[in-house]
Amino acid sequence: MDCLPYKVAYERDGYVVVRDFLERAELAELRFHIHRFLDDVVPALPDTQVFHVRGRNGARRVRMVLRMNCDTYFENYRSHPKWTSLAQALLGEPATAEPPIYLDKPPAADSPTPPHQDNCSLGLDPPSGVEMLLATDERIDEDNGCLRYVPGSHRWGMRRHTYSGVRGFAVAADFGPADEEREVPVELDPGDLVCHHPLTVHRAPANRSEHRARAAFAMWFQGTSACRDPAVSESYNRHARRAQATGR
């Protein structure tokens, strides 16, 4: 894979889309293990690791799963060469993967993702990192809650974040009409990947579709030059504990 065009777009916009990142067989294998994990592993996990949401029909569905590396397959997947080589090309330095995450927005569920910058919880200094989110099962578009990015916002520094009350996304960034006017929706077909910078402002609306979920698999990579500020992580974790206890 020639990563130079992706690196140019990533540095310019703060995000980049890689179409057909996984081949059909690679995607089928990953999808099989995700559904195995959801069926066999998730029921025994604590509610600090798995977040649920209810659709309008009252059915309880998984919305997010953290630390999927509790499963051997996903622990090994952290070193997948295709993912790692792209991350390192985008960052321009060696990088290591954090534990994988599963994200979903079930049909007709009120579960918007508030606008935020990922560095509000990571505290990377310098902000050398990249999140990669892969569409796994169905097309992700504006109807079922695709990600929306503010191009170039990674160059404007860290914004003020305040408590959101949303489990899994406990704080929200300052976000106004000018941001909403500039933001770009990113639609993905299964196997497509979007990568974004820790300071890129992004959000995702609720899934308005009556029948289609918005399932995705994500991995975070941290560059070797980056150090984490424990004070930032602890501040976020305080909000996260509050959202877990009383949020939605």
Side-chain angles (χ1 to χ4, degrees):
M1 179 189 295
D2 179 9
C3 296
L4 180 59
Y6 301 123
K7 181 175 176 60
V8 171
Y10 179 77
E11 292 181 346
R12 180 190 66 225
D13 299 328
Y15 70 94
V16 65
V17 177
V18 182
R19 301 294 180 190
D20 297 316
F21 175 69
L22 290 187
E23 297 176 0
R24 183 176 299 179
E26 295 172 319
L27 179 60
E29 177 188 303
L30 177 60
R31 186 188 293 136
F32 169 82
H33 283 284
I34 288 172
H35 287 281
R36 174 190 57 79
F37 182 88
L38 292 172
D39 291 340
D40 299 343
V41 180
V42 162
L45 296 179
D47 61 7
T48 53
Q49 191 173 348
V50 182
F51 304 96
H52 293 85
V53 67
R54 292 188 185 278
R56 286 200 291 268
N57 62 1
R60 187 170 182 258
R61 291 276 300 270
V62 171
R63 180 169 63 87
M64 179 187 296
V65 185
L66 306 175
R67 301 183 298 280
M68 293 176 73
N69 62 316
C70 62
D71 179 84
T72 301
Y73 176 84
F74 291 105
E75 172 60 23
N76 293 335
Y77 202 86
R78 293 170 67 183
S79 58
H80 193 293
K82 181 175 282 192
W83 293 73
T84 302
S85 61
L86 176 59
Q88 293 183 163
L90 295 177
L91 299 179
E93 64 173 343
T96 56
E98 296 296 304
I101 298 173
Y102 175 76
L103 299 155
D104 195 8
K105 289 182 183 291
D110 182 19
S111 54
T113 302
H116 67 284
Q117 296 163 294
D118 293 339
N119 222 31
C120 70
S121 61
L122 299 169
L124 297 181
D125 184 22
S128 178
V130 56
E131 181 176 20
M132 299 179 166
L133 185 139
L134 181 90
T136 57
D137 291 79
E138 300 186 69
R139 177 173 170 80
I140 296 176
D141 53 32
E142 292 196 74
D143 190 43
N144 64 352
C146 68
L147 283 167
R148 306 178 70 88
Y149 292 98
V150 180
S153 54
H154 64 303
R155 298 193 298 268
W156 306 339
M158 196 67 195
R159 299 191 181 191
R160 185 175 70 101
H161 285 68
T162 53
Y163 178 67
S164 69
V166 177
R167 295 188 180 104
F169 298 95
V171 297
D174 287 346
F175 186 87
D179 297 308
E180 190 168 355
E181 184 176 340
R182 294 187 68 248
E183 68 180 354
V184 176
V186 172
E187 300 189 341
L188 304 172
D189 287 317
D192 290 347
L193 185 76
V194 62
C195 310
H196 66 253
H197 189 280
L199 293 179
T200 303
V201 177
H202 59 289
R203 68 184 182 107
N207 183 351
R208 301 191 304 266
S209 170
E210 292 291 337
H211 306 291
R212 293 187 300 125
R214 198 221 71 173
F217 175 80
M219 288 210 291
W220 243 110
F221 286 83
Q222 178 176 327
T224 55
S225 67
C227 295
R228 293 202 179 199
D229 183 342
V232 172
S233 296
E234 178 51 34
S235 175
Y236 180 83
N237 288 337
R238 286 197 300 270
H239 291 302
R241 289 191 291 269
R242 177 183 173 190
Q244 176 62 18
T246 62
R248 61 185 189 278

